[in-house]
Every structure is written in structure tokens, then in C-alpha cells.
Amino acid sequence: MRTFANWMVAFFMIMYWGFRVVVAYEASVYADFFIKPVNLTVEIILLFVTVVCIVLVFKRKLIGAVIYFFSYLAYFGTDLINILKPVFEIGSTEIPNYMGALSSFIGIVLAGAVLLDLSVDKGRKPKDKKTDWFYTNKEYDRELDERADKNNYRIL
């Protein structure tokens, strides 16, 4: 976690996970809530998978972001398609749950942002200000001539 953006993405992961915990709790006690899970059992399993993925994302492991993205895409993508399908059908009188569609869309976008954040971050090398001035500067390289002893003597 090197930048502010890394922390914000992880913070939004935790906030969205907490929101989905509330959704699962409200569905399990049969309360009337504005968002309903597609399948409560799968939702609870996804919550536990998300906890593992959050830990892996905090450790900056790419496999955590990949699992997080594909599990959210599979669960919330099908939910989003099922919610928005009646909108595009001609003659349909069903009113879709737009809050559920917005919640699913936010889940997919958040998972994509996490995957993008970790995949872009993998290519960067951390800067070490204490030693970079020496190792990146050619001025301090030793220049050996032909008379120099090139043997590496070791004391055993």
C-alpha cells in the first residue's frame, strides 16, 4: 500500500463488503430492504470469499484481485443482466429494481478497479531513497584496469 489510491480502493472494498453484510442480514431476518440478494446462500459464501480477497489485496497479491473480480463478475453480472433484461423487452410491464442494479454495477466496477489497481502496481519498483543515488549513478562505479586483481579471495 504505497499510494493514497491504493488505500482508497481497499477502503471501498471494506465499505462495500459491510454493505453486503447488511443486505445479507436483512434478507436472512426477512426484513423489507431496498436491495435483495439473488441467492442468500451464495451471498454468504461470497462474503467469506471477499474477506480472504481483502486480506490478499492488503498483501498486494494479484491472485486476490483476480478471484475478487471474477467472483463479483459472476454473481453481480448475472444479477445485473436479470434486473435490466425487462427494460429492453418490448411490451414488458415489469418495473425493475434500479437500486439493485446500481448496487450490482458498483460491485462490478469496484472489483474492476481493484484488479486494475493491483495489475498496474505490479510493474512499479519501489523507490529506496537511501540507496538509489548510489546504484543508479554511474559516477561511483569502479573502473578496473588490466593490472587489477580480479580474483575473489574468500576466507573459509
Side-chain angles (χ1 to χ4, degrees):
M1 299 296 224
R2 295 182 194 104
T3 64
F4 181 69
N6 298 140
W7 282 103
M8 288 306 294
V9 167
F11 181 69
F12 283 130
M13 278 179 72
I14 293 170
M15 281 184 17
Y16 191 75
W17 177 81
F19 173 69
R20 294 311 294 189
V21 166
V22 170
V23 169
Y25 175 74
E26 292 294 324
S28 66
V29 296
Y30 303 107
D32 191 25
F33 199 59
F34 60 94
I35 295 175
K36 303 276 188 234
V38 178
N39 186 347
L40 186 60
T41 307
V42 176
E43 179 89 21
I44 293 171
I45 292 170
L46 188 64
L47 289 173
F48 284 108
V49 169
T50 303
V51 169
V52 173
C53 291
I54 288 172
V55 170
L56 289 172
V57 166
F58 268 99
K59 290 183 176 185
R60 307 306 289 165
K61 303 291 182 188
L62 187 61
I63 189 69
V66 170
I67 293 170
Y68 184 70
F69 177 71
F70 284 116
S71 62
Y72 269 40
L73 185 66
Y75 183 73
F76 292 118
T78 56
D79 184 35
L80 187 63
I81 289 171
N82 290 338
I83 289 173
L84 294 179
K85 191 182 291 184
V87 173
F88 298 111
E89 291 178 359
I90 298 172
S92 175
T93 59
E94 183 179 341
I95 299 172
N97 181 7
Y98 288 114
M99 286 304 292
L102 179 65
S103 172
S104 296
F105 181 72
I106 289 172
I108 294 169
V109 169
L110 178 64
V114 169
L115 182 64
L116 183 69
D117 180 44
L118 256 70
S119 62
V120 167
D121 194 40
K122 279 294 179 190
R124 284 191 280 169
K125 183 182 120 186
K127 294 196 179 220
D128 187 10
K129 294 180 182 176
K130 295 177 184 174
T131 59
D132 274 355
W133 66 270
F134 181 79
Y135 289 110
T136 59
N137 197 347
K138 297 295 179 194
E139 180 181 330
Y140 295 105
D141 285 349
R142 277 180 49 185
E143 295 178 10
L144 299 174
D145 61 358
E146 67 274 355
R147 296 174 295 159
D149 187 11
K150 295 183 177 92
N151 291 327
N152 294 325
Y153 297 104
R154 295 184 186 174
I155 298 174
L156 298 176

